[in-house]
Amino acid sequence: MNARTEPSEAGPSATARPPLVRELLLVVGLFLVYKFGRQLVTGHTTEAYRNAGRVWDWERTLHLPGEGSVQSLLLHGDTLAHLANTYYATVHFPATVAFLVWLYLRRPAHYVWARRVLALLTGAALVLHLVFPLAPPRMLAAAGLVDTAKVYGPSVYGPPQTDTLSNQFAAMPSLHFGWALMVAIGLIVATRSRWRWLWLLHPLVTLVVIVGTANHYWMDAIVATALLGIALAVVHLPHRTATTAGRAQEKLAPAEPKKNVLVGAGR
């Protein structure tokens, strides 16, 4: 009997998580580069106000709805305006961090994909902040909008002249909206629940908040969406497998011993 045996092919293996310490250093490092990079635009006040006038005129040319129509919804009572300011101040960063942590623990392949997309989006935003400083609509007299954070609180910004912790002239694009949209897209892609589309409420509420509080123009969200679209086109989505598909984690059954496949058997 002339025969030889070969082991059968193993199934797809689970995607290994990137080293935790390396990821922490990478994410924190990228955030600090972005945070301090924004400070380079701080002194471009005149240009930022000039660009604000341009954006306001562009929106009117494109017949976009006035930001004041959204703000009027929030000014029906102090409570609604206060809630919008609180959402703006407290949800943006923690929601994105929670999104990345969940993907890291439960969907490692999707985590790497999402981290790369967010890094590319944030880097592109930093470049745009540097070449196109922009004062937010709450600072533009022609807009006639209320600085809701200053009037109703809470506010994450101090007076522009003395605020050294943030750059208030980096309105375009809106990373509040860009990150929120990526969180929703990432969770929709990484999960399979029939309710996963409700995650789109996060960027929708964020859009109402950033415009209604006069922190961003419509154009800021539009440009953020365009940059995110480019990032998603450049960074490929991981292949869907039993480990990367958005199903709930299931306990793996005990692996069966490898079976040998009889090859070239003959008498």
Side-chain angles (χ1 to χ4, degrees), residues 1-247:
M1 186 172 180
N2 181 19
R4 59 190 177 87
T5 59
E6 291 180 354
S8 60
E9 293 183 1
S13 59
T15 302
R17 291 190 188 92
L20 178 59
V21 174
R22 187 195 72 181
E23 288 303 307
L24 287 174
L25 293 176
L26 180 60
V27 172
V28 171
L30 288 172
F31 174 76
L32 291 177
V33 168
Y34 171 75
K35 187 72 173 176
F36 290 107
R38 282 166 52 108
Q39 300 302 317
L40 297 176
V41 197
T42 303
H44 299 185
T45 305
T46 302
E47 187 179 357
Y49 279 103
R50 186 185 305 117
N51 288 335
R54 291 170 178 168
V55 170
W56 186 257
D57 292 339
W58 292 342
E59 289 189 345
R60 307 295 75 81
T61 301
L62 294 172
H63 302 290
L64 294 177
E67 285 80 357
S69 61
V70 178
Q71 185 172 89
S72 62
L73 299 176
L74 302 182
L75 297 182
H76 284 302
D78 296 358
T79 300
L80 197 56
H82 182 79
L83 287 175
N85 294 326
T86 302
Y87 192 94
Y88 181 86
T90 62
V91 174
H92 166 59
F93 190 70
T96 308
V97 171
F99 163 69
L100 289 174
V101 170
W102 185 85
L103 286 182
Y104 180 84
L105 296 175
R106 302 296 296 272
R107 306 284 188 271
H110 284 89
Y111 163 78
V112 174
W113 164 71
R115 187 250 291 152
R116 289 173 178 170
V117 171
L118 285 171
L120 187 57
L121 169 63
T122 305
L126 178 58
V127 172
L128 194 53
H129 294 333
L130 297 177
V131 300
F132 194 80
L134 179 65
R138 57 187 165 80
M139 295 183 184
L140 184 63
L145 298 173
V146 176
D147 186 345
T148 60
K150 182 178 180 180
V151 175
Y152 301 98
S155 176
V156 295
Y157 302 119
Q161 299 80 6
T162 59
D163 188 358
T164 59
L165 298 178
S166 60
N167 176 17
Q168 299 185 47
F169 300 121
M172 180 181 290
S174 169
L175 283 184
H176 267 76
F177 182 75
W179 286 11
L181 185 58
M182 181 55 201
V183 168
I185 292 173
L187 290 172
I188 289 171
V189 169
T191 59
R192 295 180 67 108
S193 167
R194 67 180 65 182
W195 302 103
R196 68 189 187 279
W197 297 99
L198 291 177
W199 286 112
L200 290 173
L201 290 174
H202 177 42
L204 179 60
V205 172
T206 300
L207 180 60
V208 172
V209 165
I210 64 175
V211 173
T213 58
N215 282 294
H216 287 283
Y217 305 88
W218 293 112
M219 289 292 294
D220 299 339
I222 292 172
V223 172
T225 302
L227 291 178
L228 178 59
I230 295 172
L232 289 171
V234 171
V235 183
H236 297 296
L237 186 69
H239 295 295
R240 294 182 71 86
T241 66
T243 56
T244 60
R247 297 175 182 172

